[in-house]
Amino acid sequence: MSKNTVAVIGTGVIGNGWIGRFLAQGLDVIAFDPAEGAEERTRNVVGQVWPALEKLGMAEGASQDRLTFVSTIEEAVQSAGFIQENVPEREDIKKDVLTSIDQYAKPEAIIGSSTSGIMATTLQEGLQHPGRVIVAHPFNPVYILPLVELVGGEATDATEMEKAKAFYQSIQMKPLVIKKEIEGHVADRLMEALWREALHLVNDDIVTTEEVDAAIIYGAGLRWAQMGPFLTFHLAGGDQGMRHMLEQFGPALKKPWTKLEAPELTEDLKEKVIDGCESHAGDVPIAELEDKRNEFLVKLLDLVEDYWPHSKI
């Protein structure tokens, strides 16, 4: 088994994102996906995002030629030191695939699932080596964004989680170890809360989709990229920080400003959101928007590191 060999099972958007990151970090990648044309799609995606990865900085030995596609899960995982599973977000499919991975992988290999909503304990059920299966939830685009949420299950011990954390740190990620299992994990819960409120604002004809985006881009988003919501509010309290902020603005939390529950996704709301996004994007193809996003994120990450170099994760 080689510590420099990783297996990627499932090569959709997230799986291909992992492959790009792994290759850029100088690892050998063995991939498996039964879908017709999967290899061609993956190699095209990696080629498209390689310039962004070069701007981020490549590890010694990084090469697109270190990617190998195989025809079975057994071939993919048997020599891998680490395995990243990215199959569709259905519990039955994931558990079936994880059973196969667990059967053929070396006992010491860690298996990270990219699931965004299924809990680790559920994924561990019925496996021969359940403790080595953890949630390792990344964010799109995986090849640029460094956050990965790590969540263990009932069978996970601290040693396995430390091994996983060290691996993700070695590929220039910011692993956030979540102490308690919850559905949806952490970052997705925060994004979903904002998404639900945004849908209400559009549904009630208060703003358009473009105006919601502008409110985040030119307001909260600029601050959150540096400090996040808690330190942003800490500064809002003046010299006394969060203590004064909670005393001054805490009572406003009782006001029913937010809806909390999502609005009913009616056909009318769907069309408002779809039409709004298509109008906002104009004639710019998705691929071009992705390139612009990637270029922006690479520059932004450099800025974040310059102003927040002492992050504890």
Side-chain angles (χ1 to χ4, degrees), residues 6 10 15 34 38 45 47 51-53 156-157 159-160 178 189 197 212 217 225 245 271 275 287 311:
V6 296
V45 168
L53 289 164
T156 307
D157 64 34
T159 301
E160 289 156 334
I178 310 302
R189 282 193 169 207
E197 189 64 21
V212 168
I217 292 169
M245 188 272 171
E271 289 307 312
D275 290 346
S311 171

Side-chain angles (χ1 to χ4, degrees), residues 1-264:
M1 179 182 69
S2 171
K3 291 190 294 185
N4 293 322
T5 299
V6 296
V8 175
I9 308 301
T11 59
V13 172
I14 298 300
N16 286 336
W18 279 118
I19 289 172
R21 178 175 283 274
F22 292 149
L23 292 173
Q25 292 301 314
L27 301 178
D28 293 309
V29 179
I30 305 175
F32 169 75
D33 191 314
E36 185 177 351
E39 179 174 359
E40 182 181 2
R41 284 192 296 273
T42 292
R43 293 191 184 279
N44 286 338
V45 168
V46 172
Q48 289 167 5
V49 306
W50 204 251
L53 289 164
E54 288 177 325
K55 289 177 182 176
L56 279 174
M58 297 273 188
E60 184 177 353
S63 172
Q64 297 180 54
D65 295 333
R66 298 180 75 164
L67 170 63
T68 303
F69 262 77
V70 293
S71 58
T72 66
I73 288 179
E74 180 179 2
E75 290 178 273
V77 304
Q78 61 187 357
S79 63
F82 203 94
I83 300 153
Q84 191 75 42
E85 170 273 307
N86 320 278
V87 301
E89 194 73 359
R90 278 181 44 189
E91 185 178 317
D92 58 336
I93 295 177
K94 282 195 178 288
K95 292 182 79 168
D96 183 58
V97 169
L98 287 169
T99 296
S100 295
I101 294 172
D102 186 47
Q103 177 183 353
Y104 297 119
K106 299 287 187 181
E108 62 269 31
I110 297 292
I111 305 166
S113 174
S114 297
T115 177
S116 59
I118 305 173
M119 293 197 283
T121 295
T122 300
L123 297 176
Q124 292 174 344
E125 292 170 355
L127 299 181
Q128 298 175 26
H129 308 281
R132 52 136 165 218
V133 175
I134 65 168
V135 167
H137 175 224
F139 296 85
N140 187 43
V142 184
Y143 49 89
I144 295 178
L145 296 183
L147 182 65
V148 56
E149 293 182 311
L150 305 184
V151 195
E154 291 179 0
T156 307
D157 64 34
T159 301
E160 289 156 334
M161 189 58 78
E162 282 303 313
K163 284 171 62 178
K165 180 179 178 181
F167 168 74
Y168 288 110
Q169 287 175 327
S170 76
I171 58 170
Q172 307 305 308
M173 299 198 82
K174 300 283 188 182
L176 179 62
V177 179
I178 310 302
K179 300 180 182 68
K180 184 186 239 183
E181 286 187 278
I182 55 170
E183 293 180 343
H185 320 315
V186 173
D188 273 358
R189 282 193 169 207
L190 295 171
M191 290 188 292
E192 282 289 332
L194 181 61
W195 175 233
R196 287 192 295 268
E197 189 64 21
L199 288 175
H200 275 292
L201 292 170
V202 171
N203 191 50
D204 295 343
D205 292 321
I206 295 167
V207 285
T208 65
T209 58
E210 184 173 1
E211 289 167 339
V212 168
D213 285 354
I216 298 300
I217 292 169
Y218 301 111
L222 288 172
R223 299 185 300 188
W224 289 345
Q226 183 189 11
M227 293 188 174
F230 279 102
L231 273 187
T232 294
F233 281 130
H234 183 56
L235 268 61
D239 291 341
Q240 296 180 41
M242 183 61 79
R243 183 176 302 279
H244 177 68
M245 188 272 171
L246 290 176
E247 291 173 354
Q248 184 77 9
F249 300 105
L253 293 173
K254 293 291 186 181
K255 294 181 179 180
W257 285 355
T258 58
K259 302 283 189 178
L260 296 182
E261 291 188 8
E264 182 181 352

